[in-house]
Amino acid sequence: MTTDSPTPDTGAELLPIATAARTRAALRTLIRPDRGLALTGIAILVAATAVGLLVQPLLGRIVDIVADGRPAGDLTLPVVLLVAVAVVQGLTTTLGLTRIARLGETVLARLRERFVERALNLPADRLERAGAGDLTARVTGDVARVAEAVRSALPEMARSVLAILLTLGALALLDVRFLLAALLAVPVQLLTARWYVRRALTLYADQRVANGAQQQQLLETIGGAVTVRGHRLEEQHTERSAGRSRKAVDLTMRSVNLVLGFYGRLHIAEYIGLAAVLIAGFWLVRDGAVSIGTATAAALYFHSLFGPVNAALVLLDDAQSAAAGLARLVGVTDLADQPEPAAGKAEAGKAAAGKAEAGKPEAAKAAPASVPRQRIASSEAAVTVHAVSHAYGPGRPVLHEVSLTLKPGEHVALVGTSGAGKSTLARIVAGVQQPTSGTVTGPAGTGSAAAGAGEHPVVLVTQEVHVFTGTLAEDLRLARPDASDADLRTALATVHALDWAEALPDGLATVVGEGGHRLDPARAQQLALARLVLADPALAVLDEATAEAGSAGARVLERSAEAALAGRTALVVAHRLTQAVAADRVVVLEAGRVVESGPHDELRDADGPYAALWRAWSGSRTTAPHP
């Protein structure tokens, strides 16, 4: 179960945050595969702590020997035992903490893998509504905070709790009245912990949200720096960044004051407990109930509790911060796990959604309902889009009941002016974005763009191509891990990229991506098209996949794209109308509606919207100056 995140003043609909109960359940699931490691680690730490508790009685024994005026030789055995205790405790503590640390790192790695896997499968429009800053803050700050807690807080917390419990037991063995005196500090400590926890969880959650809003503002300002300068919006964006930074700083200072108050209350508890134990020791020694050495051991036991008690309570700070971060991570994984409604339950889903969303803010109501992709026989139409509409929020419709059919093997070019809804429709057909209403059906096996391992019913290639860090061969094998070098060369040759690939310093073994050999936009796009060839999808969707190449590489990329699409059904968002000329059919979108559909020649001669686009495009090519 998740709850909606507090929405900052960015207007974004942040990704959800898991409830405390759901977070605990997720944590148990993460730990379950390594229960044996956890149990053995705790058992070893129990043994190490128990051995360490022998120090205080041995020191008390030394005090009694001195107080009784016994020979110096009587000190030999207690001193030797102290050395032995130190060695054994050191070895067992190291072994136990190592196992606990291994458990923490294993769980952390599992959490990271699950988060990345689920985040990659989130609907694109859901991420867009949240903004890049929210997801960035979670994948960086929240993961780092949980990692810090796992590496430092978890082992220390385990050791501290065990030390507290066993030390209290040892006090009871000396004399139960020592234990009762020590427990006078507990009410103050419990009230301090309660006071802190009630304030910390909300404060740290708000702090994480504020940091996400701050990052979102910085990303928008830096990413749109050219537009900001062009419209003279520097002062406005600077003030927005400063305002969100001030909010983040204010929350940080509140957390600092909270921690200072927490420490002050802990010191009061320590003084109360130690004074009570010393007074109890004085009365018990005076009455002859215990020896001076026993009273000394009791005082040392309570003093030894300062470290673990303070550590355990102070670690509540890290635990609360880590819990807030973990809840944000689990919220993302749960969002990806939410089942999509069945096609036959559409009306019931609408009714249920109306009830569930009656009390939600308007931003939450804008979330589009998931629409399933249905499997149909391959003998039917390759893709059928029926009455699909989509909106990115209230009053922001992009598509209006669009219907479209792609026959098996047909190449359809999608054209229209900027903002007509071409990219949105392409992403819906590819399955990476769900429409607000309507249905999309595809060939057998088509489920989404992220289909099961080894199956690629749909592949989407956009103008924003990422070159992953690694060798060129590794980058290509992302599409088909079992591809041989011969398969890679065949795919590169298909898209006319083999010559430059083999001319790289180390051929297919050349490191590309961040820190490696730089590929220009045209070559990066050919790399993406080669991955498409390796994936061999039934349906390929190209969203202006040749737009980033510039005029010089446009013709090369168009040839590459044509070769990559050969023999498969394709929907192409045409950046250049030469792609429309080569297509079997052209579909024209205007303001989110299909206004024309047919072959290029027919639409060009019809003197409609496409003819106007063609005249504007071909005219600009005729009059444009030559370089």
Side-chain angles (χ1 to χ4, degrees), residues 82-165:
L82 281 173
V83 173
V85 166
V87 172
V88 173
Q89 185 184 25
L91 292 175
T92 51
T93 300
T94 300
L95 180 59
L97 290 179
T98 298
R99 296 187 72 82
I100 294 296
R102 183 181 301 170
L103 169 68
E105 290 295 335
T106 302
V107 171
L108 178 61
R110 192 175 291 126
L111 172 65
R112 280 174 169 162
E113 291 169 1
R114 184 169 299 181
F115 178 81
V116 172
E117 176 188 355
R118 305 299 170 80
L120 289 174
N121 287 324
L122 288 177
D125 56 335
R126 185 64 184 87
L127 292 177
E128 289 173 356
R129 292 199 306 275
D134 186 29
L135 186 61
T136 301
R138 297 187 191 219
V139 81
T140 54
D142 291 327
V143 170
R145 188 58 58 90
V146 173
E148 181 182 353
V150 165
R151 289 168 181 158
S152 58
L154 177 62
E156 187 62 29
M157 177 69 84
R159 186 170 63 172
S160 298
V161 170
L162 290 173
I164 293 168
L165 295 176

Side-chain angles (χ1 to χ4, degrees), residues 472-493:
L472 183 64
E474 290 170 344
D475 203 308
L476 288 166
R477 285 195 176 97
L478 291 172
R480 204 173 90 205
D482 61 345
S484 65
D485 285 352
D487 294 331
L488 303 185
R489 288 187 172 86
T490 299
L492 289 168

